[in-house]
Amino acid sequence: MRKLVPGLPPVGSILALTGPMVLVGLPAFAAEGGLPQLRFADYPAQIVWLVISFVILYALLKLAVLPRLTGTIESRAARIAGDLEAATQAKAQAQAAVAGYEKALAEARDKANTLAAQQRAAVQAEIDSRKAEIEARIAAETKAAEARINATKDAAMAEVRGIAAAAARDIAAKVADLEIGAAAADQAVEHLLGQAS
Amino acid sequence: MAAGAEGHSPLHQFEITRLVPMDIAGVDVSFTNAALWMVISVVAVSALMMIATARGALVPGRVQSVAELAYEFVTGMLRDICGTQGLKYFPFVFTIFLFVLTANLLGLLPYSFTVTSHLAVTATMALVIIVAVTLLGLAKNGFGFFHLFLPSGVPLWLAPLLIVIEVISYLTRPVSLSVRLFANMMAGHTTLKVFGGFVVALGFLGIAPLVFVVALTGLEFLVAFLQAYIFTILTCIYLNDALHPHH
């Protein structure tokens, strides 16, 4: 057996020591006047007061204590149930709000995407049309410039021919003393130019 | 546990003394020391419960927790054994539990008197419980209450033997209920007193029984609670037999 106090004999040996003393002593004590519990003359007084005190305790508990006690416990249970209910509702509301927010977010994103696409398409179209316009203008100006160059060239060429023909007639008149008609000189220049080109 | 000058007998603590002798129509209704401690028990437990339930706080304090703990303990016991029909008799069972527990615990105070160590008290309570439960069983189930003595599905040739055994066991219920409580209380207190006497008688060696008395006092607190619990749970079981005699 485990020792209760170090240095003292365990409970077992205390019992072994004192047990016989109890067995010897108890009948001697009891012999003095019998068990008080079995003196039936004392019974009526005890029973009467037991009934009185028990009934008073019962009435007090039933009428004063228990209504308040059950009221407290039930109101607490109701409060807890109500709070749980409110929490569940709040949670559902929060979830609905989150779902609504996410839906709104998705819608906004879609709208932004389509807007961006439209804008991009519009800008692209503008760019394309401006480009086409500029290209067309450039082409027209190029063409006009070319025509002007050609005209100037032709004029210059015609002048050069005339000068060449006049020079040829002068040279022929001075060197060979030949009178060449203007038409023949032009023809000769034309012929030589044709050979050169 | 009282160590009065004249009280050398360990049984002296159980003596009934008439503090205010009274007599009504030839019946002795004297206010005795037993009656005094019954009244003290009732006042103590009522005061505790009244203080405990005065505020009815949502978050209970210490005293309120004690009351609610006792309430939940007895309700749980009653609901587990008798079902929800048993809750109708909760105030009675609760009173029994609190009265027996308080009387047991107050009896552990030095110089106090243990109300529940007297057969007159325990036998009265046991008889009232058994008679009330029997009447309740008859009122609720009529003749069906006697199914208690012959469970259905028992072969008929066993019936005479079984009925006799069941009736005897039913009739011994008040005896076992009352003797268990009174004998436990009396034995514990007598042992404490005897060993307390040895502490003085053995002089220096008295430290050995002193250690034992200290340990035994702790055990007696356990017994005080346990016996109140047993008394209450048996009341619940008997009540259940009255409410549901068909096992």
Side-chain angles (χ1 to χ4, degrees):
Chain A
M1 186 177 284
R2 204 157 50 88
K3 285 189 177 189
L4 288 175
V5 182
L8 278 175
V11 174
S13 49
I14 300 175
L15 269 176
L17 208 97
T18 47
M21 299 190 212
V22 179
L23 291 178
V24 173
L26 200 56
F29 288 129
E32 282 176 17
L35 268 181
Q37 279 90 340
L38 295 179
R39 256 175 246 145
F40 295 105
D42 290 341
Y43 273 40
Q46 285 190 74
I47 291 169
V48 164
W49 283 99
L50 171 67
V51 171
I52 291 170
S53 38
F54 192 89
V55 167
I56 289 172
L57 182 62
Y58 177 81
L60 266 171
L61 287 179
K62 189 176 167 121
L63 300 177
V65 171
L66 284 177
R68 289 197 296 201
L69 198 56
T70 47
T72 307
I73 288 171
E74 272 164 15
S75 74
R76 181 183 304 138
R79 170 85 182 265
I80 288 170
D83 284 359
L84 277 176
E85 177 77 11
T88 315
Q89 276 180 0
K91 196 183 168 191
Q93 274 177 2
Q95 277 172 346
V98 167
Y101 166 76
E102 273 173 0
K103 201 179 153 201
L105 197 68
E107 275 172 5
R109 197 177 288 131
D110 280 355
K111 209 168 151 188
N113 280 344
T114 47
L115 255 171
Q118 279 174 0
Q119 208 63 24
R120 202 178 299 125
V123 168
Q124 192 63 47
E126 170 112 14
I127 289 169
D128 285 352
S129 75
R130 290 277 291 279
K131 201 171 153 192
E133 191 186 313
I134 289 166
E135 274 172 355
R137 212 164 67 204
I138 289 169
E141 277 177 7
T142 312
K143 218 168 167 183
E146 272 175 359
R148 226 164 40 236
I149 290 164
N150 282 342
T152 314
K153 200 170 140 190
D154 285 354
M157 282 304 280
E159 211 157 312
V160 168
R161 272 195 201 115
I163 293 165
R169 277 164 71 196
D170 285 352
I171 294 167
K174 289 245 173 87
V175 175
D177 207 17
L178 278 173
E179 196 70 39
I180 297 164
D186 282 351
Q187 212 178 345
V189 168
E190 200 70 40
H191 179 72
L192 282 173
L193 274 174
Q195 274 188 340
S197 64
Chain B
M1 284 177 73
E6 74 286 7
H8 292 301
S9 159
L11 296 179
H12 182 266
Q13 58 179 324
F14 303 118
E15 287 292 343
I16 301 283
T17 50
R18 284 163 179 74
L19 304 173
V20 184
M22 277 190 277
D23 197 291
I24 295 175
V27 182
D28 175 29
V29 292
S30 306
F31 190 78
T32 60
N33 53 347
L36 174 69
W37 282 94
M38 287 175 201
V39 171
I40 289 174
S41 299
V42 168
V43 169
V45 74
S46 310
L48 178 78
M49 296 310 271
M50 294 297 250
I51 292 166
T53 55
R55 281 192 33 235
L58 195 66
V59 178
R62 268 174 292 191
V63 187
Q64 197 182 332
S65 289
V66 170
E68 288 185 8
L69 213 65
Y71 176 87
E72 303 281 358
F73 181 68
V74 179
T75 334
M77 212 191 312
L78 196 57
R79 198 188 290 114
D80 287 349
I81 294 170
C82 304
T84 41
Q85 301 106 303
L87 291 179
K88 214 173 122 189
Y89 310 99
F90 174 75
F92 180 68
V93 177
F94 195 49
T95 312
I96 285 181
F97 176 71
L98 287 183
F99 185 78
V100 174
L101 179 65
T102 316
N104 288 355
L105 287 175
L106 285 178
L108 284 167
L109 291 176
Y111 300 102
S112 75
F113 180 89
T114 315
V115 173
T116 41
S117 69
H118 267 264
L119 186 59
V121 170
T122 59
T124 307
M125 288 203 287
L127 273 173
V128 167
I129 289 167
I130 296 295
V131 169
V133 154
T134 307
L135 291 178
L136 181 73
L138 285 171
K140 285 250 165 194
N141 306 288
F143 191 73
F145 179 64
F146 295 105
H147 271 285
L148 195 59
F149 304 119
L150 185 65
S152 45
V154 172
L156 208 62
W157 60 270
L158 255 177
L161 183 67
L162 203 69
I163 287 172
V164 169
I165 291 174
E166 290 284 348
V167 167
I168 290 173
S169 93
Y170 193 82
L171 292 177
T172 51
R173 277 177 175 184
V175 179
S176 64
L177 191 58
S178 54
V179 170
R180 184 184 296 108
L181 179 56
F182 124 78
N184 264 288
M185 286 300 120
M186 185 194 156
H189 286 259
T190 310
T191 316
L192 276 177
K193 188 66 190 280
V194 168
F195 279 88
F198 289 155
V199 176
V200 181
L202 289 180
F204 172 70
L205 281 176
I207 193 150
L210 180 64
V211 169
F212 184 73
V213 165
V214 170
L216 197 64
T217 307
L219 181 73
E220 280 305 306
F221 273 100
L222 178 72
V223 169
F225 182 82
L226 195 67
Q227 288 304 322
Y229 171 69
I230 290 171
F231 200 89
T232 316
I233 207 162
L234 283 173
T235 307
C236 292
I237 289 169
Y238 300 158
L239 184 63
N240 183 48
D241 280 346
L243 294 173
H244 316 106
H246 301 275
H247 288 280

